[in-house]
Amino acid sequence: MRSLLAKLTLNQRLGGAAIVLGLLALAAGGPGNGQRVTIDPQELALIVEKELDHVSVEELADWIIQGRMDYRLLDLRDGKEFAEYAIPSSEHVPLAALESYPLLRNEKIVLYSGGGIHSAQAWFLLKARGYKGVYMLTGGMEEWKDRILFPRIPENPSNDRQASFEKMKYVSQFFGGSPQSGIGEAAAPVRRPIPKLETKSQQIPTGKGKKKKEGC
C-alpha cells in the first residue's frame, strides 16, 4: 500500500483523500436512507491511481465551448451559492435530493461542489446505485475560478508557451472572466467579481456556425 501511495501524484492523493472522506461522511449519516455502500478496494485503488474518476476544469471548459451535449453536469452546492454563480450547463442538485433526481444509468455524469467532500459522497452514492459513468470535477468550483475564470498569465510569456496562454485568455473571456497578468508565483491572486452568465447557463454558442446534419 505504501508503494502505491509513493507512486501517486499530489492530485491523485488529494482525489483519493476526498473519496475516502466522502465515503466516511456518507457512512456516518449522508443520504442513502441507511443503505449500505460497498466498493471493491482494488477498484478504488485503480480509480485513484489512474484518475479515472475525475474530469479536469480545462476538459469541461472545452466541452462547454464545443457545445457538447453528451454529459450531465450537477452542481451539489446550496441554493445561494448556485444563484451567485454556476458553471454553464450545470443543473442544481443538492446532495440530499440526489437520490430522487432523474438520471439515467448510461449517462456521463460530472459532479462538482465547492471543495471535494460532497462530490465524493455523491460519487459513492451513484456508484453504489449502479451508475457507471460518474466523475468528479477536479478541484470543484475553486479550481474552476482559479484556472478558468481568473487564470494567471505572465506579461511576457516565452514563445513556446504563447499559444497555451492565448487559449487560456480566450477561455477565460468566453466565460466572462478576466485573466490576471503580471502576477508572480508568490503573489496572492486578485479576485474579480464573479461574472453573471444568465443565458450561457442554458446554451453555449460554439462560434462555428450551424451544426451539420448527420450523414451530410
Side-chain angles (χ1 to χ4, degrees), residues 6 15 20 29 34 36 43 64 82-83 92 98 111 118 120 173-174 192 196 198:
V20 172
R36 185 179 180 183
E43 179 187 1
I64 296 172
F82 183 80
H92 185 219
L98 186 60
L111 309 162
H118 281 176
Q173 292 167 358
F174 180 92
R192 305 286 201 275
K196 296 293 184 181
E198 297 178 359

Side-chain angles (χ1 to χ4, degrees), residues 56-68 144 148 167 171 175:
S56 72
V57 291
E58 290 84 1
E59 285 181 290
L60 178 60
D62 282 343
W63 294 354
I64 296 172
I65 292 172
Q66 293 169 19
R68 285 179 52 171
W144 178 268
I148 302 301
K167 180 179 179 180
V171 171
F175 289 102

Side-chain angles (χ1 to χ4, degrees), residues 139-151:
M141 178 57 73
E142 290 305 309
E143 188 148 338
W144 178 268
K145 292 177 184 177
D146 290 340
R147 299 181 67 88
I148 302 301
L149 294 180
F150 310 118

Side-chain angles (χ1 to χ4, degrees), residues 26 29 40 68 81 85 100 109-110 115 188:
L26 186 59
D40 185 344
R68 285 179 52 171
E81 292 173 313
Y85 177 79
S100 58
I109 302 168
V110 181

